[in-house]
Amino acid sequence: MPTAPAAPVQVISLIGGECSGKSTLATELAATLDGVFVVEQLRLFVDEHGRTPTEQEQAGILRAQVAAEAFAEQTARSAGKSWVIGDPAALMTAVYSIAYFEDRSLLDEAVEHQSSYALTIWCDIDLPWQADGDQRDGPHERERVHRVIADVVASEQLEVLKVRGAVAERVDQVVAALGPV
């Protein structure tokens, strides 16, 4: 008897400024949905190089995030899992390029890739800001990046689920948006 084809793997991506709860929510969603977690390539870059990327390095980081998602999709498929949780979406690299370098050159590529996601979650900045070594610039930058995200979401007419509140509340909001899983 032939076996039924496996359900397609779906990607959920997260966007939000620094210290908006993306990583915590992504980890919880991966556990709740039995999905595969995609680590942030920008975080890996900063850890490896001990500095933030230059404008010229941004495109490579965006493409590394896309490649990490593709690898996670293959991993999920092989493991019989249905979900990949991207922390964050590749779009965040384009957002950071706009915020820090006034460079919109990565936006079209990022938005095109964004359309492949089953759901994009925008984490609000209602959580207290916390320092994280070289990874975070401060609450003023979080607010500025949040405004850039708002501009990108509006100008590109991106469909997002904006979540707020404690982690458990955010998980519940996402699960409710996904419907039966």
Side-chain angles (χ1 to χ4, degrees):
M1 172 178 259
T3 59
V9 175
Q10 298 185 73
V11 179
I12 295 173
S13 69
L14 285 85
I15 60 175
E18 65 181 41
C19 201
S20 61
K22 295 183 304 294
S23 297
T24 303
L25 178 57
T27 302
E28 288 297 317
L29 287 173
T32 299
L33 299 172
D34 190 28
V36 176
F37 176 81
V38 182
V39 70
E40 180 179 13
Q41 298 302 299
L42 174 59
R43 178 174 289 276
L44 295 178
F45 179 97
V46 172
D47 285 347
E48 180 179 334
H49 297 282
R51 62 175 176 80
T52 57
T54 65
E55 182 176 356
Q56 294 72 28
E57 292 167 321
Q58 291 288 95
I61 293 168
L62 183 143
R63 293 181 187 115
Q65 193 70 40
V66 169
E69 288 173 9
F71 181 77
E73 286 182 68
Q74 292 174 345
T75 301
R77 197 170 291 108
S78 296
K81 297 181 183 235
S82 299
W83 298 100
V84 167
I85 316 301
D87 170 40
L91 178 65
M92 283 308 301
T93 305
V95 166
Y96 291 136
S97 288
I98 295 166
Y100 292 100
F101 304 113
E102 297 182 13
D103 176 11
R104 299 181 74 83
S105 67
L106 299 176
L107 189 56
D108 288 344
E109 180 180 351
V111 167
E112 182 178 336
H113 182 69
Q114 193 77 12
S115 69
S116 69
Y117 297 142
L119 179 64
T120 299
I121 302 162
W122 181 8
C123 294
D124 204 349
I125 55 173
D126 58 327
L127 301 174
W129 187 87
Q130 298 175 6
D132 186 14
D134 293 335
Q135 296 289 341
R136 296 188 178 144
D137 293 327
H140 62 286
E141 285 301 311
R142 174 174 78 164
E143 292 168 13
R144 191 172 71 82
V145 169
H146 187 76
R147 288 190 302 272
V148 172
I149 293 168
D151 291 343
V152 167
V153 166
S155 69
E156 300 299 323
Q157 300 176 341
L158 299 176
E159 290 187 33
V160 299
L161 171 65
K162 193 168 188 182
V163 296
R164 58 182 300 115
V167 176
E169 294 172 296
R170 292 175 178 213
V171 169
D172 289 346
Q173 291 167 45
V174 173
V175 170
L178 292 173
V181 290

